Amino acid sequence: MYLMAEPAAQTVALAESLKSLGLTKYEALVYIALLQASEATATEIHELSGVPRASVYPVLERLSQKQLVSVSNTSPRRFNPERPDDAIESLLSSVEHDAARAKTTLNRIYSQSGRRARGDQELIWSIHGGDHIRLRLLEMLQAADESVRIIFYWDHLKGELIERLLSLKKEVKIDIITDGWSGPVQGQINVLVKAPPMEIQREPVTNWQAGCVFIVDKKKAMVVMGSKDEGFTALYSESVGFVRFFTMYWNFFLNWG
Amino acid sequence: MYLMAEPAAQTVALAESLKSLGLTKYEALVYIALLQASEATATEIHELSGVPRASVYPVLERLSQKQLVSVSNTSPRRFNPERPDDAIESLLSSVEHDAARAKTTLNRIYSQSGRRARGDQELIWSIHGGDHIRLRLLEMLQAADESVRIIFYWDHLKGELIERLLSLKKEVKIDIITDGWSGPVQGQINVLVKAPPMEIQREPVTNWQAGCVFIVDKKKAMVVMGSKDEGFTALYSESVGFVRFFTMYWNFFLNWG
DNA sequence: CACTTGTTGTTATTATGATAACAACATTTA
DNA sequence: TAAATGTTGTTATCATAATAACAACAAGTG
């Protein structure tokens, strides 16, 4: 019976996780099997994991190199798994080690490169993914010097946003149009609570999650759009036209209704 | 010029590190190139990275999904890298997330499995790799109840070993034969400083790094061998014969010279 | 037009997965 | 004991999927 036995759904997901720690499918399956039957022989592992018997040997050899199993000196050989905590720890720390090395090298490349500092100016950038957007947004707000104008309809980020705004320098004038505010309103912050206009609500977008505009120092603007279907997209630009457009948009919102 | 430009040696090592964070070779090369020339077009990236121009587009698409680059809405499109710190952070945290998931699942499997508790007894286990050995060794010592006998010639681990020994329960009698001791000698610890015998020094092993014997409670024994060429290997066993053999070995050492 | 960009499809190349074959040895059975 | 049977560990071979490399072309741009 050489057919690959179909592993449990749990096992498949688990194998996926282990893959990103640098294991192959077989290495993952063999290690999992070994946890269920410590001190197993190659044949037992083969039967339990569904991995072909001939493949079990090289896989165990690799796992041994990676310090996830130890080997008995009996005949037949028996194999013993490193405890999961230690195993994961060992794999992860090797990845973290690589990450640290990569980080320093990349940073050196990044700082050495004589890339133009103000090239952003006339370009409009698309940014995908919630985290990516969040990062860039907080970064942009942090750099605010004079003024921040915000139209904000995005429940998910609200807490973090408020926190960040409150931490800005006192000189920065902040104007916010949003649907609800749950924090202190300090001197320089001006909140206008307003439901989103019907025109937007009537849009044929099935699952609206976010619709935001951020204008910083009248020089940079970022707009965020999000729906459950398409995920989050943001546009960022320092282009004069772009900023002017969304300043108008902001004014329209301010005076509407 | 479609030939892959030979990347700097540094770049190759870097790409390797990035691979273990889940990037492919091309993704790594493209990202590195982008750091050197932010806001590059696809063609510029192709020239800088050596990645075929046609391949650059799908690669950038994937990088965009992974939130490592943003895209301009110009024609031609331009691309901007996420800053290295944030990029690595993002990749690493995704791996760490997987690691955490895997750890809990594996632990459940491990604890659920009704593996025999006393199977270790008559087997001799091979353990490869310095870290792996270190882990198992400290674990074994920690579990000491009555006595620990050690023959220790291994500079690298000396500090950690001493520390661990000092933390043991006071009832545990500790006898050590080694070539140097740099800690307090408390009541239950008995240190005998002794150079390794000529018989061992004359062995035709080019680069001897470690030669150790650990006997715990007269029931478990672990021996460590290490040379620069072959790396570290250890044997562990609770087998009576094994323990008896190395107890004899220990006695031989004790009375020699 | 000449040139570049962006896209598509096809062909290597590699890593991994899957199967088969075999020698060495141990166990069983006549 | 000799033959048959089964197991282990090793090696070679093949299949498949992921990635890399290239060629060709349509659309856009100056």
Side-chain angles (χ1 to χ4, degrees), chain A residues 159-208:
Chain A
E160 205 163 4
L161 175 81
I162 291 178
E163 188 183 339
R164 172 59 52 104
L165 288 176
L166 292 174
S167 77
L168 291 182
K169 289 176 291 189
K170 298 302 173 226
E171 307 92 75
V172 183
K173 251 191 71 197
I174 303 177
D175 292 291
I176 306 173
I177 303 174
T178 183
D179 57 348
W181 178 264
S182 66
V185 175
Q186 297 178 351
Q188 85 276 25
I189 300 185
N190 190 3
V191 181
L192 179 58
V193 175
K194 189 172 271 194
M198 283 308 158
E199 285 76 19
I200 287 187
Q201 291 183 348
R202 258 195 248 109
E203 285 276 318
V205 177
T206 38
N207 234 318
W208 193 254

Side-chain angles (χ1 to χ4, degrees), chain B residues 13-64:
Chain B
L14 181 50
E16 276 309 307
S17 296
L18 289 176
K19 265 194 209 169
S20 67
L21 286 164
L23 298 193
T24 68
K25 185 178 163 192
Y26 275 8
E27 288 167 355
L29 290 176
V30 164
Y31 180 72
I32 294 171
L34 250 188
L35 286 182
Q36 297 169 312
S38 300
E39 299 177 28
T41 64
T43 302
E44 289 166 355
I45 293 170
H46 146 65
E47 285 162 353
L48 216 73
S49 65
V51 172
R53 196 178 59 86
S55 302
V56 160
Y57 292 94
V59 167
L60 280 166
E61 170 62 28
R62 278 179 277 159
L63 286 176
S64 177

Side-chain angles (χ1 to χ4, degrees), chain A residues 8 10-11 14-15 18 28-29 31-38 48 84, chain B residues 102-115:
Chain A
Q10 183 202 40
T11 305
L14 180 51
L18 289 175
L29 290 177
Y31 180 71
I32 294 171
L34 206 45
L35 284 183
Q36 297 167 314
S38 300
L48 216 74
Chain B
K103 192 187 272 190
T104 61
T105 312
L106 289 176
N107 268 321
R108 195 167 63 248
I109 292 175
Y110 187 58
S111 57
Q112 275 179 1
S113 77
R115 60 194 176 292

